[in-house]
Amino acid sequence: MVKRALVLGGGGMFAAFQAGAWRELSRTFQPDAVIGASAGALNAWMIASGVSGEELCARWLTLEQRTGLKWPRYWGDGVLDTAALEALLRQLTEEYRPKVRLGVTVCEGPRLTNRVYWDESVTVEHLLASCAVPGLLAAKRLEGGLSFDGGLRAVCPVWAAEEIGAEEIVVVNAWKHFAWRARAVDGPNVRRIEPRERLGSLRQSALWDRGNIERWIAQGEAAAR
């Protein structure tokens, strides 16, 4: 029985906002399921594994990943080299294992159909697929063919929490660009935590900068409070 669900949307580096929110939320809110899309899927893995708010914030503050460029090899490939990201994810998935129900969303196939993978079925490949912004990061071939960023249809996968019957849903949305993507489902059992305005530019969402990360963590904590 899933009573409480935490839903984390995408947003690239803006997802540091979720780390700050979790530092405050974790004092009083313990979810039975954690569901994430795109960068939120990485936070979801950590939170579902029992990571404290302090540790999640520390991870973001020491993230600094330098990404190189490459020539795309096929239509679903991207221009960013994901070697450093893959190494980081393999380290995290070896170091941490989810203790509560974990859901990771992707958009699947040419129609970008929403799909959620649960628990033991989630691998590094699924996390990479959930982050695969078309044109930037390579799509991954999962069970249903090529799979892309889990936040393309809707940045916050509230629908996945509703599918498992969650009675109380807390959504942490860090993405305020493009209203059609920032939209989250509202309802009597949904509470949304988000910044009042955009956290920064699209360029800032793609580049790690310690000053920005510190600022976004503080904003997330304040919003959750």
Side-chain angles (χ1 to χ4, degrees), residues 78-151:
V79 298
L80 298 182
D81 185 348
T82 61
L85 177 61
E86 290 187 33
L88 172 65
L89 292 184
R90 294 192 189 284
Q91 175 192 344
L92 292 180
T93 54
E94 290 174 3
E95 188 173 347
Y96 302 99
R97 299 300 303 176
K99 300 175 181 177
V100 300
R101 194 161 196 197
L102 169 71
V104 169
T105 64
V106 301
C107 285
E108 192 172 78
R111 295 186 178 182
L112 299 178
T113 303
N114 282 329
R115 180 168 179 177
V116 58
Y117 288 90
W118 294 102
D119 305 321
E120 291 81 6
S121 66
V122 178
T123 67
V124 171
E125 294 297 295
H126 294 81
L127 294 174
L128 286 167
S130 191
C131 294
V133 179
L136 294 180
L137 299 177
K140 292 295 178 179
R141 191 169 295 280
L142 304 177
E143 296 173 14
L146 285 181
S147 296
F148 299 87
D149 190 311

Side-chain angles (χ1 to χ4, degrees), residues 4 11 30 43-44 73 77-78 82 103 112 117 141 143 146 161-162 170 180 185 188 193 199 202 219-220:
R4 291 176 156 188
Q30 292 300 321
N43 283 333
R73 297 165 297 172
D77 201 0
T82 61
L112 299 178
Y117 288 90
R141 191 169 295 280
E143 296 173 14
L146 285 181
E162 294 177 330
V170 173
W180 63 273
V185 177
I193 297 168
L199 293 174
L202 293 177
Q219 288 179 272

Side-chain angles (χ1 to χ4, degrees), residues 24-224:
E24 178 64 27
L25 271 176
S26 59
R27 302 175 192 275
T28 57
F29 182 81
Q30 292 300 321
D32 304 303
V34 188
I35 301 163
S38 197
L42 311 187
N43 283 333
W45 179 283
M46 301 283 284
I47 291 172
S49 299
V51 168
S52 68
E54 288 294 336
E55 185 174 355
L56 187 59
C57 290
R59 284 283 184 177
W60 276 95
L61 289 168
T62 57
L63 180 64
E64 193 172 8
Q65 294 288 311
R66 299 195 179 278
T67 304
L69 298 176
K70 64 183 178 65
W71 188 259
R73 297 165 297 172
Y74 62 98
W75 73 270
D77 201 0
V79 298
L80 298 182
D81 185 348
T82 61
L85 177 61
E86 290 187 33
L88 172 65
L89 292 184
R90 294 192 189 284
Q91 175 192 344
L92 292 180
T93 54
E94 290 174 3
E95 188 173 347
Y96 302 99
R97 299 300 303 176
K99 300 175 181 177
V100 300
R101 194 161 196 197
L102 169 71
V104 169
T105 64
V106 301
C107 285
E108 192 172 78
R111 295 186 178 182
L112 299 178
T113 303
N114 282 329
R115 180 168 179 177
V116 58
Y117 288 90
W118 294 102
D119 305 321
E120 291 81 6
S121 66
V122 178
T123 67
V124 171
E125 294 297 295
H126 294 81
L127 294 174
L128 286 167
S130 191
C131 294
V133 179
L136 294 180
L137 299 177
K140 292 295 178 179
R141 191 169 295 280
L142 304 177
E143 296 173 14
L146 285 181
S147 296
F148 299 87
D149 190 311
L152 288 177
R153 296 287 296 273
V155 73
C156 296
V158 176
W159 57 269
E162 294 177 330
E163 281 187 358
I164 58 174
E167 298 176 3
E168 182 182 355
I169 303 170
V170 173
V171 178
V172 186
N173 173 40
W175 185 263
K176 302 288 283 187
H177 294 268
F178 313 131
W180 63 273
R181 283 200 65 213
R183 185 174 62 252
V185 177
D186 289 314
N189 64 333
V190 176
R191 291 185 292 173
R192 193 192 309 190
I193 297 168
E194 59 185 1
R196 294 182 179 180
E197 56 189 21
R198 294 176 180 178
L199 293 174
S201 67
L202 293 177
R203 183 175 184 275
Q204 288 174 318
S205 75
L207 299 174
W208 185 90
D209 177 89
R210 186 179 177 92
N212 285 336
I213 297 297
E214 290 175 343
R215 178 164 54 89
W216 297 334
I217 286 174
Q219 288 179 272
E221 188 169 11

